Amino acid sequence: MALCGWKRLLLVGGQNPSVKAWRSRRGGPSLRWKRCCHWSAGKALDPEVRAFLEENTEVTSSGHLTPEIRLRLLTPRCRFWREKLDLWPYGDPFWAIYWPGGQALSRYILDNPCVVKGRSVLDLGSGCGATAIAAVMSGASQVLANDIDPIAGMAMILNCELNHLNPFPITIKNIINSEAGDWDLIVLGDMFYDEQLADGLHHWLRKCIRRRQTEVLIGDPGRHQFLSHSICSQLHKVIEYSLPEYTRQENNGLTSSIVWSYQPSNSLENC
């Protein structure tokens, strides 16, 4: 199966110039929604964008670790699966793939609802919103999903509808390096694909833990950029999942995904 160009960005990461170009857009996504940085239940979706997403994604719950969750994703049956990057009319649709780190986090939360039950949860880099959906299904008292792409926010609302959930609040902005929020738990998957982004995450997460005693869970399938980063010395393995064959194929042969608990030592918390 051939990978479309934008999808290679997270698989190779690192010094890929396309990753750097995408990263440079993090703080200011284009589109008519760029002034809207927070959505709550009842927020109307642009009918044109809704129609486009419904036409160009497929509703699926198979081939992933969480068959309980239905999602609108790009699949090989979708028109844009092999299209050139510049033909997709919005920002690169990273949200339209259910990445293996997010799958592992979502599976772990569904299997262990006590991790989120009655707690406030921030899903950082939420993408399709699966992990936030898993947190709502498992009884979290408050869920905020965050992504920098406004189209991801719209897709999350559609995915909530598919799973018969009221949409959770969604913030569309880069919150890394912002003031640490008062969250019981931060979850993030597949975010350590670029060195500069990884450094920023490391610093900000450490600050959240030091100032708010926030628990942090990270999902990653073992990408080189993650395993080679200094944060790995402060991670504790929670659980490892074998990936379904479909997910292996669409992720360049990665075979498993791990949930890690980030527990920085006191000596490294000076930020």
Side-chain angles (χ1 to χ4, degrees):
M1 178 184 67
L3 292 174
C4 45
W6 61 269
K7 195 163 177 279
R8 288 195 184 93
L9 302 186
L10 261 67
L11 295 181
V12 294
Q15 300 304 311
N16 186 299
S18 298
V19 172
K20 292 185 176 182
W22 179 79
R23 188 183 64 210
S24 70
R25 303 205 306 264
R26 287 183 303 162
S30 57
L31 300 175
R32 70 188 72 181
W33 286 78
K34 74 189 237 181
R35 294 180 182 174
C36 176
C37 59
H38 192 85
W39 289 331
S40 57
K43 185 77 177 183
L45 293 185
D46 184 307
E48 182 180 337
V49 177
R50 174 189 279 270
F52 178 86
L53 294 180
E54 290 177 342
E55 180 181 351
N56 291 287
T57 57
E58 180 182 13
V59 176
T60 181
S61 61
S62 63
H64 306 119
L65 288 171
T66 55
E68 307 95 317
I69 299 177
R70 303 176 73 215
L71 300 168
R72 284 198 167 275
L73 302 172
L74 275 177
T75 73
R77 290 174 289 277
C78 296
R79 168 189 166 198
F80 283 96
W81 181 257
R82 293 180 176 86
E83 291 282 7
K84 294 181 180 178
L85 182 65
D86 56 358
L87 294 180
W88 180 267
Y90 306 110
D92 302 335
F94 296 114
W95 59 266
I97 297 295
Y98 193 7
W99 301 99
Q103 289 189 40
L105 283 169
S106 301
R107 181 71 268 157
Y108 178 67
I109 289 170
L110 291 170
D111 288 345
N112 301 274
C114 60
V115 172
V116 300
K117 189 172 183 179
R119 306 179 78 192
S120 59
V121 180
L122 170 65
D123 183 11
L124 184 66
S126 190
C128 65
T131 304
I133 288 171
V136 173
M137 288 180 167
S138 299
S141 62
Q142 182 182 2
V143 174
L144 176 65
N146 164 253
D147 204 282
I148 58 169
D149 184 352
I151 297 297
M154 299 181 198
M156 287 183 227
I157 293 176
L158 294 179
N159 288 334
C160 284
E161 293 176 0
L162 286 175
N163 293 280
H164 310 292
L165 299 176
N166 292 324
F168 35 73
I170 303 164
T171 182
I172 304 296
K173 61 179 180 178
N174 179 11
I175 65 173
I176 300 171
N177 297 324
S178 65
E179 184 64 28
D182 191 16
W183 299 99
D184 297 320
L185 174 66
I186 296 175
V187 292
L188 61 156
D190 308 283
M191 292 281 283
F192 288 81
Y193 55 85
D194 171 81
E195 184 176 359
Q196 183 176 334
L197 176 59
D199 289 344
L201 282 167
H202 190 187
H203 178 86
W204 186 72
L205 292 171
R206 205 167 57 208
K207 181 170 66 174
C208 291
I209 292 172
R210 180 169 64 89
R211 295 185 180 179
R212 305 288 187 181
Q213 290 75 55
T214 303
E215 182 181 355
V216 175
L217 294 176
I218 298 172
D220 195 272
R223 295 185 182 88
H224 171 75
Q225 295 84 359
F226 178 67
L227 296 178
S228 62
H229 196 273
S230 60
I231 195 173
C232 281
S233 64
Q234 298 159 67
L235 298 178
H236 297 264
K237 184 176 178 179
V238 177
I239 193 168
E240 182 171 2
Y241 295 99
S242 178
L243 293 171
E245 183 60 29
Y246 174 80
T247 300
R248 295 185 184 196
Q249 291 178 7
E250 75 169 0
N251 286 276
N252 208 29
L254 294 170
T255 60
S256 66
S257 190
I258 298 175
V259 175
W260 302 91
S261 174
Y262 176 39
Q263 300 175 14
S265 60
N266 291 334
S267 61
L268 295 174
E269 288 186 21
N270 298 319
C271 52

